Every structure is written in structure tokens, then in C-alpha cells.
Amino acid sequence: MVQRAGRGRRQLLERDSELAAVDEALSELAGLRPSGVEPPERPHGALLAVAAPAGLGKTSLLAEVRRRAAAKGCTVLYARGGDQEQGVAFHVARQLVQPQLAGAPEAELRSRLGSWYAIVGPALGLCAAAEGAPPDPQGLRDGLDWVLTHLAVQRAPMVLVLDDAHWADPESLSWLAAFAPRAEELPLLLVVAYRPEELPDHAEALRGLPGRAGRRPLGLEPLSAPAIARMVRESVGAHADDAFCRECWAVTAGNPFEAVELTAKVHDRGLVPTENGAHLLRDLAAAVKGSGLIARLERLGSSTVRFAWACAVLGTEISPELAAGVAGLGAEEAADAADRLRDARVLTGVHTLEFVHPLIATAVYRAIPSGVRVALHGQAAWTVVNAGLGSSAAARHLLETHPDGDPWVVQQLRSAARETVRAGAPDAARRYLARALREPPPYDDRAVVLYELGSASLLTEPATTVNHLRAALEEPITDPALRHGIVYRLSQVLAHSDRLAEASETLAREMRLTTDSRVRLRLQAEQFMWDAFRADEPESPARSRRLARLADRLTGRDLTERYIIGLRTWDATLRGEPAATVIRHAERALAGGLRWAADEDRGFEVPVLVALSFLYADRPGRTEELFVEGIADFEHAGWRGGHLSFAYTLLGYVRYRRGRLAEAEDFARAGLRLAERVGPGTPAHWYAVGTLIEVLLARGRVAEAESVAETYAFGAPFPAAVVFPDAQTVYGELLLALGRTKDAAVELAAAGRRLDPRGMRNPAWCPWQLHLARAEVHDAPASALATAHDAVDRARHFGAPSAIGAALRAAAEVSSGAARGKLLEESVSHLERSPAGYELACSLVALGAELRRTGRAEEAADRLYRGLDTAAGCGADGLVERAREELAAAGLR
């Protein structure tokens, strides 16, 4: 692999094609080109992946990448995965980024990281986590993206090198794998090396990272016999004969690591490098690895062996002082052991120790007797805590120890879990708490550990969370606040798992047990909320009456009361109570503050419902004000997964209701992209896909809407939770647009049978009647007319002009004769007083067409031109085309 190329550096052998790829990438990155070739307008980045088995020279190649990058003036970020640090969240991310930012005063860090300071700072070890809700994993990844992007731009050109990526922690690796494609758009070269046969499941994305030639990872081959001969002669002298060199190649199979170690041993032994001594090479080669290496280590003495074991347990970037503490050696004895291990080419470094090669570290670790290894991990945990490195540094060692009922172990694991949750690594926290549970914790602490474990599993394993929280409730709990916290969290995870009935029943049981009136009120508020989302709630009208009686006497003095008033607002919206009543309750709910991310124990649902109530009451400006504040809350808290998906999707829905269809589509697609990062089949998906289909239909892109529905399996079975726009109604609307009127009528009638008995009668919220009337008009005209006029009556009772206007147009479409024109005139009159631009455009075009058919050409032209302009302003391309067709039929265009 290597040959001396000057003092302190070796030349890589038989890696010309790989180095050519490196040089090409570095030249592009630095804006350089060979003589006579124009440089690019701006430097741009690339990806380089090196995939090869152990010992073939990945680390040497990456060292040369770093050297060449530094020589070209690049900023170099370097990290290395460690076999022992795989469970340490963000270990690799910290290695990469921390040196670029550490040491700066807090004020400077806050200035440089801006709003991301509290989100990424704890993960990178730059600051302690603040109190409050932790960021979700996606929010944290977005923050890390921002930090790395800004570093790449500010310190361009930049080269990021990650060695032994197969051992990188899952949090860092999932982030870098997702970030990698961006490197090509930045002044950043990303170089990753890994052993393909050892890639864990969470690192599969790395296999797709390209090398250079053919856009595939670079694969390293064993060295040829001539290359090994060059290495031998460089090490032991030019007099090494051909037979000896060929035997060196044969016993190492061309593995560069083994060849380097073998030639060093030949030199140390003073072996004459001739054919007569070649038969000794196999025994020397066996001492390079496996049992031979361990036997060689054991000959160095028991204290040296113990020091080597301690280093293997500690992993990478080893502090000699910590290693001495773990090994139980004094300072002088530890220093002697380190010297002997350096001389034996087991360790390298002075102030910070490293194994010469990961293969050596692995061999040493695996050679530790199992009982001793467990004890050393326990000693390591105590040593790092005693050194002030904190419980997070100890936790990975405690995972390797045997349960022994030690309260100190439970305390350290719980503390580490709190830190990692706050840092945005719930999976690591779950591992720590699961181990704490096996210790086991003291009898009185078991419930709180189960609660913390359930909370840590909330985002990734909801079914497991339910089990842990239910088990916690079975434990004796002396602290009422803990019990109530468990119940709140259990109801949340049940609800978000589409088990709303169980969520409601859980709260009801706890209400029967509590004697605290304020706690009972909070439980009741939570139950009202989840019942409001239940599609199968058996007593919805009775719940509405109870909610109204309770909310109307509350003053909104605390958050619980404001949540109940907010739920009363939404219930009034669904039932179609007068819009003035809805607005009055909404303002009451907001009077004392109703933040979207104020409390991790409360959902964001009620503040969102209050904001949407203004929309249905034709106050979309107020809705958007609240959405802007809410989205800022989410982003500030680092909630950029499902929370932000809902926010963007619903903001798209608001824009749709205002007739700003192009903007609505952009927001709906943004919400869908975020929902896809959270995972398929979630409530966020139903909201995003339903909104996008609704917008595409309004824009006249029916085939595209159908394609979206097929791609995301948008259809029966519909979710058990109430979503909006109502999924079954949107599906019926899609069928109607596709000309499948009978199928549409079936779905829309089913939606009515589901919603009407629950008192959800407001066509402003769910216009199933409007679409059903259109679907029935040919086969059941009388039923269609009755359905449409019932919708008009409901809309008039609610009183929002947009709802009345849309219902009147539907009634007109299923009517005949003079009534048709009158209904459309009234529809336009109402919609002109509303913010519903798209609905107004639809009614104007429909009225213009009706006036043309009845011979009122001048009035028809006025309405059609106005409808055309309004539709064009909305981005309703299909409606624009229809208006032009009507104008052409009238001989006007």
C-alpha cells in the first residue's frame, strides 16, 4: 500500500485511479483546472465513497485525502466511527463540527447559530439542553443541515472526511446519509469510507453514495506482488530477494495492513530477507492478527495487557489518565505500559491514545475474558463520571454491565436518557432506560422509569410506548402528578395511534379516581378533545351539550380552561352554530394565550382548531396570523416532523379556501414532503394528500389528482380519526370529477351517514351535500334538489357568506328554469362579500353560462369576463379554460 515518500509520509501504492478521482474532485472543489481548461464559475462539491474490507488501506487513503485537501487550502472536517462508540448519540457529528465551533463564547455561539442554538447546541455538546419540549429528530437533522451548510459556505472550500462509517452512531449516520446529496450543490467534498460487509441496517443509505468513476463507490483491491515487494524492500532493505518478497505477498494475500505489520516484524527480528528465511514468514504473519496478536500482547506483561484492555474498552480518542483509572494502574505504571504498547505498534499517540489500526482494537477487545470485560465497563462508567465527563459518557459502558440492582446505575442511566432526549436522540434514551429497567430500579422508582421509557419511545415505537405506560399505571404511585402525567401521555399516544376510543376510556377511568377538581377538569379537556376527533363516537350530540354547558361558564383563567373554550369553539363550528358565536368563543380562548408549542404535555390540536374556526367563519386573515405564530413556535422548538407537516398542509388548505391555489399547492406539497419523512400512513399523510387532491381538482388537473390518490392509496378504509378536509368527501369529489357519478354518490352518502348523526352539519367545514347533489342530479333529481336546499339552509344558519354562496351554486346546478339563474345571482352576491376567490370565480362563470343560455348576452359577457379574471388570479386553469369556452360560444372570444 505504501512506500516512503519523504520524512513522516508514505506514498500510496497501486491507488492511482483512486487518487486521480480525489484530485479531480479537489480540483473542482477548489475551482482549479489543468492548464488550458476554463475554471468553473463557482467551486462545487462532490461525493466520494470508499468501500473495502478491513486492512485494504481505507484509512491511509483518507489520510492522503486530508493532506491533499489541506495543501489546496481546504478546510478539513474529520471524524471516525468507533466500534465502542456506536451507541453514543451524535458522536461522529460532534467530532466533525465541534472543533469548528468549540471555544467560542456563548454570545458568539448564539449569534452564529441563531435560532438553531438551542436545537443543535446540545446534540453537538456546545451547550446544555434547555427545559421544555425537546426537538423532534427531523427538526434536529434540519438544524445540523443548516450548521454544516453554513460552515461549508463560510469556510469554503471544505472537505468532510468520515472514516469507518460502518461504526458511526445511528443519529449521525442517518443525518449525513440524508445530507450527502446536497454536497454537490455546495463547496463541499464529502468523503466516506466503510466496510461494506459490516454496514448496519441503519447505514444502508451509504451504499448508494457514489465514488467517481461510474458513480459507484470506489473499491480497493489487495496489492499485487510487485507492490508488496516494494514495501518489503523499503522496510528491510533492497537486498530482500524475490522469493522472500513473493512469500510475503502470499502469506498476507496482498493485505496492506498485514504486509506493513509483517515487514516491521521481519525488521525487528533481524530476519535475513532471503529464500532461506521465507519459511518463517507464516508464523510471523500469524502474530499480526487474531490469537497471534494476543499472544504477542501477553508477552508484554500483565499490567500492559490490562492497560491495553482498558484502552479497548474506552474506544477511540483515549485519555491515558482514564485508561489508567480503568486498568487500576498508577500513573508511572500506566506510562510504562503505554510505552511498551507503542513500541509493539499496538497503540500510537501521546496525550491522546489510539490503536494503530481498528483491527488491532477489535482483536484486543474480543480477547478480554467476558467477566473481566463486564467489570472493566463498570469501572469505566465509574471512572468517566468521577472525571466529570457526565452520565452520558458512562451510559454506553453501563449498557455492557450485568444487572445488579444498583441504584447508582439506574440514576446514571436515567440522567443520560434525559440528556439524550433533550439533545434530540430518543432512540439512545430508550436504550438507556430499557437497561435501567432491567437493573432493576428501586421499587418506588419503577413507575417513573417506565414513564420515562414510554415517553422516549413515543416518536419511534408507539405500540411499545402504550405497553410501558400501561405497565407504569400498574405500579404503586405515590406522586399524583406522576400518575396524571402518565395518563396524559398514554392518552396522547393512543390517540395518535388511531385508537381514539381507548384514549377517551383511559381518561374517563382516571376521572373517576381523582379527587382534585382542577386535575379532573384537565382530564375532561383531554377527553373532549379526543372524542371530537373520533369518527365512531357514539354520543357526539350529548358530548356537545356537556361541553357547551361547561365552557360557557369558564372564564379562561388558565390553559386548561382556554383549551376547553377552544374545543367549544370547534364544536360550534362543526355543528354550524352561527359564525358570530364561533368567533366570540374563539376570541375567548385566545384571550389568555394559546401557544402551539407551549407545553410538551399538551398537543397542538386545540390551538390549530381555534385558528381554523376563524377560516370557516370567513376570517382567513386571522387564521393566517395564528398559523404564522404557530409555525414559528414549531420551528423555534425544533418540531419539524409531523407537527410542521400539519402546519404547512393546513396553511395550504387556508390558501385554498382563499382562492390562492398555486400557493395552496406549494404548501400542500411541502406538508406532504414532511409527512413522508415522518413515515407512511400517518394522520399527517391523510391531511396532506387530501388537501393536495382538493387543490388539484380546483386547478382542473383531474388526472394528476387521480395519480396522487393512487400513489398514496387514498381511499377506503378511511382513518378512524376525523381529518380535514374530510377524506371520504374528497374521495367522493375525485370520483365525481372522474365521471364515476354512481360511485361518488355512494361514498358521499356514506360520509353523510357518518357525520350527520354526530351533529357535524356545517357545509362550510364539510361540503359532502354539495357534491352529493351533483352526483345524484341525473339518477335522482328530486333527492339531489332536496339535498342541495338542505345544505343551503344549514349554510344560512351558520351565516358565513362563503358557505352560503357555495351552497346556492350547488342548488342552482341541480335546479332548472328561472330558479337556476336566481340562485346563481344570489350565490355571486354572497361570495362577493366573502374571501373565497375560487368559489366566486366558479359562481361567476356558472352565472355567465346561464345568462348566455337564456339570451342575456351583455350580462353574460360581464360575468364571464369577471369570472375569467378571477379564475386566472386564483390559478384555476381548468376554470379559465371553461370561461373561455363560454365566451367563445357567445361569440365574444
Side-chain angles (χ1 to χ4, degrees), residues 290-291 294 297-298 305 309 361-370 373:
S291 60
I294 300 308
L297 180 63
E298 289 173 349
V305 169
W309 287 352
T362 300
V364 172
Y365 184 79
R366 291 177 178 173
I368 306 172
S370 59
R373 185 166 60 241

Side-chain angles (χ1 to χ4, degrees), residues 724-740:
F724 36 91
D726 180 69
Q728 191 170 23
T729 300
V730 172
Y731 186 62
E733 185 182 357
L734 174 62
L735 294 174
L736 187 60
L738 291 169
R740 296 169 55 185

Side-chain angles (χ1 to χ4, degrees), residues 242-489:
D242 290 343
F244 186 89
C245 292
R246 175 163 286 278
E247 185 64 12
C248 287
W249 172 76
V251 299
T252 62
N255 184 290
F257 162 71
E258 295 182 19
V260 168
E261 289 297 306
L262 177 63
T263 55
K265 286 175 176 48
V266 169
H267 183 276
D268 292 345
R269 294 282 184 91
L271 184 65
V272 179
T274 64
E275 184 175 4
N276 291 335
H279 68 282
L280 301 174
L281 290 174
R282 291 196 178 274
D283 288 340
L284 285 180
V288 169
K289 57 185 178 179
S291 60
L293 171 64
I294 300 308
R296 179 162 58 92
L297 180 63
E298 289 173 349
R299 288 194 290 271
L300 298 178
S302 60
S303 62
T304 303
V305 169
R306 194 167 182 85
F307 189 82
W309 287 352
C311 290
V313 164
L314 289 171
T316 58
E317 300 173 313
I318 305 156
S319 160
E321 293 75 21
L322 286 180
V326 175
L329 301 177
E332 187 173 337
E333 192 177 9
D336 290 342
D339 287 339
R340 285 191 288 271
L341 291 167
R342 278 189 286 262
D343 292 341
R345 289 179 300 281
V346 173
L347 293 180
T348 186
V350 179
H351 301 297
T352 299
L353 301 176
E354 292 277 357
F355 282 91
V356 167
H357 195 279
L359 284 171
I360 296 176
T362 300
V364 172
Y365 184 79
R366 291 177 178 173
I368 306 172
S370 59
V372 176
R373 185 166 60 241
V374 170
L376 286 174
H377 275 295
Q379 180 68 13
W382 183 89
T383 302
V384 298
V385 169
N386 197 47
L389 299 181
S391 54
S392 291
R396 74 172 179 90
H397 296 292
L398 294 174
L399 291 178
E400 304 299 327
T401 61
H402 294 319
D404 194 32
D406 187 340
W408 182 85
V409 171
V410 175
Q411 175 191 347
Q412 297 302 321
L413 289 167
R414 287 181 62 197
S415 176
R418 285 192 294 271
E419 290 179 23
T420 51
V421 163
R422 297 285 179 197
D427 286 346
R430 179 176 52 79
R431 292 193 295 273
Y432 299 157
L433 290 164
R435 172 63 183 82
L437 198 61
R438 292 195 300 273
E439 185 60 17
Y443 185 71
D444 292 343
D445 290 343
R446 183 173 169 80
V448 73
V449 174
L450 283 164
Y451 172 53
E452 291 168 353
L453 178 55
S455 298
S457 305
L458 183 63
L459 293 175
T460 54
E461 298 184 2
T464 301
T465 299
V466 169
N467 293 336
H468 289 318
L469 295 176
R470 282 186 166 156
L473 288 177
E474 296 298 320
E475 297 292 327
I477 302 173
T478 58
D479 180 6
L482 171 61
R483 180 176 183 86
H484 300 144
I486 296 170
V487 170
Y488 299 145
R489 187 57 57 91

